[in-house]
């Protein structure tokens, strides 16, 4: 039997941190995103700051991703309306954008998350204006060429949850469907954080016993 002495525990934890750190780094190029708001996941009327009744939308297929190497945000797999398994818009779509950056992460207005608003950052063109739904026809967004500022600046805003997608309609000109782009932690990153927490707790426990 091998006893877990403090020295052995230190070695095991440090080795685990090194392995998980390497794994997290190797996966860091592609970051998946969720669409989220006050009413829940997806493009929802309840995610709008006002009291809105409308259709629904969200991720389809492989979902949304951002590549930190190429600086490309991929919205290929975003749709709305019954064509893609959601509910239909109240009227024809007439605008669609990414708005941002909000003043706070995740649009937190001090009362609840995801309620802040911001100006139009990127125009998103649609495959159709039909109430039955559509997808974006310019879904590959290159942060290196879209803006007059460094891609790193916009990337930091994106990764902080300061951008949201809005689908506007004739009935709801201010926006009928909304969802914040929120990065999803990779499993390796979550495990790395848990290991660091365990290591920190072990060190504190040893300090108290000393």
């Amino acid at each position: 039997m091998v006893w877990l002495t403090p020295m052995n525990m230190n070695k095991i934890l440090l080795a685990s941190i090194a392995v998980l750190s390497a794994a997290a780094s190797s996966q860091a190029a592609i970051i998946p995103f969720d669409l989220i708001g006050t009413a829940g996941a997806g493009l929802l009327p309840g995610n709008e700051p006002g009291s809105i009744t409308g259709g629904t939308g969200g991720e389809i297929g492989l979902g949304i991703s951002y590549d930190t190497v190429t600086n490309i945000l991929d919205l290929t797999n975003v749709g709305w309306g019954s064509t893609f398994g959601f509910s239909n818009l109240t009227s024809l779509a007439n605008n669609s954008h990414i708005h941002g950056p909000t003043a706070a992460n995740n649009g937190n207005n001090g009362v609840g998350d995801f309620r802040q608003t911001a100006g139009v950052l990127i125009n998103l063109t649609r495959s159709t204006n039909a109430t039955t739904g559509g997808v974006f026809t310019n879904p590959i967004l290159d942060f290196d060429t879209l803006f007059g500022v460094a891609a790193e600046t916009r990337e930091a805003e994106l990764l902080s949850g300061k951008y949201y997608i809005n689908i506007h309609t004739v009935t709801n000109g201010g926006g009928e469907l909304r969802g914040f782009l929120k990065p999803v932690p990779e499993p390796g990153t979550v495990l790395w954080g848990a290991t660091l927490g365990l290591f920190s707790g072990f060190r504190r426990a040893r300090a108290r016993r000393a």
Side-chain angles (χ1 to χ4, degrees):
M1 179 180 292
V2 178
W3 294 99
L4 289 178
T5 64
M7 182 175 293
N8 287 340
M9 182 62 80
N10 264 342
K11 289 179 179 178
I12 291 170
L13 287 171
L14 287 171
S16 298
I17 289 170
V19 170
L20 291 170
S21 177
S25 296
S26 67
Q27 297 174 2
I30 305 297
I31 299 175
F33 276 76
D34 280 340
L35 288 166
I36 190 71
T38 303
L43 292 170
L44 305 176
N47 291 343
E48 295 285 351
S51 179
I52 302 295
T53 300
T56 58
E59 294 180 80
I60 54 178
L62 298 176
I64 301 166
S65 64
Y66 178 76
D67 190 320
T68 60
V69 174
T70 62
N71 298 326
I72 286 177
L73 176 64
D74 188 346
L75 300 177
T76 303
N77 297 292
V78 175
W80 57 93
S82 60
T83 300
F84 296 98
F86 303 102
S87 58
N88 289 332
L89 302 175
T90 57
S91 54
L92 295 178
N94 57 7
N95 278 298
S96 46
H97 316 105
I98 290 179
H99 292 249
T102 54
N105 296 352
N106 304 321
N108 190 344
N109 64 2
V111 177
D113 283 348
F114 312 114
R115 285 304 191 188
Q116 284 186 346
T117 59
V120 172
L121 184 70
I122 303 169
N123 285 308
L124 297 171
T125 55
R126 301 168 302 285
S127 59
T128 175
N129 292 334
T131 60
T132 52
V135 294
F136 298 125
T137 57
N138 62 331
I140 305 300
L141 304 174
D142 188 342
F143 278 35
D144 282 327
T145 58
L146 272 175
F147 311 108
V149 298
E152 290 74 17
T153 300
R154 294 304 190 195
E155 179 181 286
E157 294 168 347
L158 173 69
L159 296 178
S160 296
K162 292 185 174 183
Y163 295 168
Y164 61 90
I165 293 175
N166 218 356
I167 308 293
H168 306 257
T169 64
V170 173
T171 303
N172 293 302
E176 181 165 322
L177 305 182
R178 188 165 100 139
F180 270 81
L181 290 158
K182 188 170 184 179
V184 180
E186 289 287 345
T189 304
V190 173
L191 287 172
W192 186 32
T195 302
L196 286 172
L198 179 62
F199 180 65
S200 177
F202 177 70
R203 294 290 296 272
R204 288 195 298 271
R206 282 190 61 194
R208 287 195 296 268
R209 290 196 299 269

